[in-house]
Amino acid sequence: MITTILISFMQFSIVAPHSLHRHCIATQGTLYPKNIQLVMIDDVIVYYYNSSAEQEAVVPEWLNHPEGIEFWQEVHRNLKFNRYVMDTAVRVTSEHYNHSHDHFYQAHGRCGWKSDGTTEAFMSHAYDGKDFVSFDVSTRTWTAAVSHAVFYKRKRETDLEDLVRLVIHYESGCIRWLEKLLEFSVTVREPKVPAVSLFERPPHGNSKVEVTCHVTGFYPRAVQVDWLGAEGLPMVDGVNSGEVLPNGDGSYQLRKSLTVPQEAQDTQSYSCLVLHSSIAGNITVTWAPKKNLANVLMAIVIIVSVVLMLTVLFKYLVWRRAVAQNPE
């Protein structure tokens, strides 16, 4: 068991990579907002703009200091120019397809560090939810995902100023943003230790018991949860895992359930093992089998009955002795 846990922890404790994401959407028609922009560091929102809102993007509280505001304004200027790029993209693409009414154009840019410490960056575009073009930063080339996107690929390739802008941003500017944001967002990315609890319920229509390990309140998002059997090995059969879901306070939660067959309920115990970067070791909570309630109640009834009978017999013997010593 110790070896299994140690191997699992060594695999999990590799330094998690960090990344910065830019999500942009431009639309035509009346069904959607005209422009939406979102910047995130890992899972923390840095910048959010929605053209249908009555105000511009707002500086997040954790950036509300002189250096942070100056940096945020740089991001704001960059994305304000990007609105023009996105509005142009949806317009020329809709014209190329001869589309009218409601259509949308999406862009996703990402840069960051991989687990080995090297950097990576990419950008991909979609039209009406389908892959359209992508930009390879290392080769400085655009690739069309569909034949109809070749016109847009050529349009972006012939704009040398635009090409230089993209390369500079994704090779250096984006990583600089990421470094700055990791520095500024320390307080909102503080690790939170998970709380672990077990609860059980019998599934309808059979004698199996479902035991759920509820892990909640943790940050960052990455977590490893395993059900361990009698030999301390991770179980697969009978295990059902939910998704990692956000809580309202910026932390996350996960549920992983184990179905225990009837024949194992009185003899086997199982443990829920939780590994998370906020703790040096692990959190282990054990589910122990419970004896059949009917048998327990029967045993209690028998014991109480025997005690009552002995009490009555003792009182009767005392009474007989008293009568024998004091005859009328």
Side-chain angles (χ1 to χ4, degrees):
M1 178 177 179
I2 294 176
T3 303
T4 302
I5 293 175
L6 181 60
I7 292 174
S8 297
F9 181 70
M10 288 175 64
Q11 292 174 340
F12 184 79
S13 61
I14 295 174
V15 177
H18 293 288
S19 56
L20 186 143
H21 297 263
R22 298 167 55 129
H23 297 276
C24 305
I25 302 176
T27 71
Q28 69 167 21
T30 58
L31 187 59
Y32 310 105
K34 290 294 184 183
N35 205 295
I36 296 176
Q37 295 183 325
L38 179 70
V39 176
M40 299 180 68
I41 171 177
D42 296 333
D43 54 1
V44 177
I45 295 177
V46 179
Y47 182 98
Y48 176 74
Y49 169 79
N50 187 328
S51 60
S52 63
E54 295 182 356
Q55 62 181 20
E56 278 284 355
V58 178
V59 181
E61 183 177 349
W62 53 273
L63 274 177
N64 195 15
H65 51 84
E67 190 178 359
I69 292 174
E70 182 181 356
F71 171 79
W72 187 90
Q73 288 173 344
E74 177 188 340
V75 175
H76 178 68
R77 288 191 297 270
N78 182 288
L79 292 179
K80 192 170 185 179
F81 173 77
N82 197 56
R83 293 180 210 169
Y84 164 77
V85 176
M86 292 296 295
D87 289 340
T88 302
V90 71
R91 177 178 56 80
V92 299
T93 304
S94 298
E95 291 174 353
H96 179 79
Y97 280 105
N98 197 26
H99 283 168
S100 57
H101 306 299
D102 298 291
H103 295 277
F104 57 95
Y105 194 99
Q106 300 162 272
H108 173 212
R110 177 184 180 275
C111 71
W113 292 291
K114 296 185 289 186
S115 56
D116 61 3
T118 60
T119 60
E120 62 177 351
F122 72 84
M123 183 171 64
S124 61
H125 291 192
Y127 180 67
D128 283 350
K130 297 180 180 180
D131 290 343
F132 194 61
V133 294
S134 61
F135 181 69
D136 188 315
V137 178
S138 60
T139 61
R140 295 162 166 72
T141 57
W142 286 88
T143 300
V146 293
S147 58
H148 280 290
V150 172
F151 88 96
Y152 189 77
K153 156 188 157 64
R154 291 172 178 167
K155 173 181 173 60
R156 295 298 293 264
E157 286 177 337
T158 56
D159 189 341
L160 297 182
E161 184 178 347
D162 176 64
L163 190 64
V164 171
R165 178 183 65 87
L166 287 175
V167 170
I168 291 176
H169 176 74
Y170 282 103
E171 284 191 345
S172 60
C174 187
I175 295 297
R176 182 175 61 83
W177 283 13
L178 178 56
E179 291 172 341
K180 280 287 188 182
L181 289 170
L182 286 172
E183 176 188 345
F184 293 145
S185 63
V186 169
T187 56
V188 293
R189 293 185 301 103
E190 288 180 350
K192 296 180 177 63
V193 177
V196 183
S197 59
L198 303 181
F199 60 90
E200 63 180 77
R201 65 179 179 85
H204 298 294
N206 58 46
S207 56
K208 297 178 180 178
V209 171
E210 183 181 82
V211 186
T212 298
C213 182
H214 184 213
V215 185
T216 188
F218 58 89
Y219 184 87
R221 185 179 187 276
V223 67
Q224 180 177 326
V225 179
D226 288 306
W227 274 105
L228 305 181
E231 298 180 355
L233 298 176
M235 301 183 63
V236 177
D237 295 339
V239 175
N240 181 40
S241 180
E243 297 181 358
V244 177
L245 301 174
N247 292 320
D249 60 357
S251 65
Y252 293 91
Q253 64 169 297
L254 171 67
R255 297 188 180 196
K256 182 166 281 194
S257 300
L258 171 67
T259 300
V260 181
Q262 183 180 23
E263 59 271 18
Q265 291 174 23
D266 295 330
T267 59
Q268 299 293 328
S269 61
Y270 304 92
S271 298
C272 178
L273 173 72
V274 179
L275 298 172
H276 189 258
S277 59
S278 64
I279 51 178
N282 65 78
I283 299 176
T284 303
V285 180
T286 300
W287 178 82
K290 296 181 179 179
K291 299 297 183 181
N292 186 280
L293 181 60
N295 293 337
V296 174
L297 292 177
M298 181 63 69
I300 293 174
V301 170
I302 293 173
I303 292 172
V304 171
S305 299
V306 170
V307 171
L308 289 175
M309 290 176 62
L310 291 175
T311 302
V312 171
L313 178 61
F314 176 77
K315 290 182 177 180
Y316 174 73
L317 292 175
V318 171
W319 175 76
R320 286 294 302 270
R321 184 177 180 180
V323 170
Q325 291 177 351
N326 299 290
E328 292 182 356

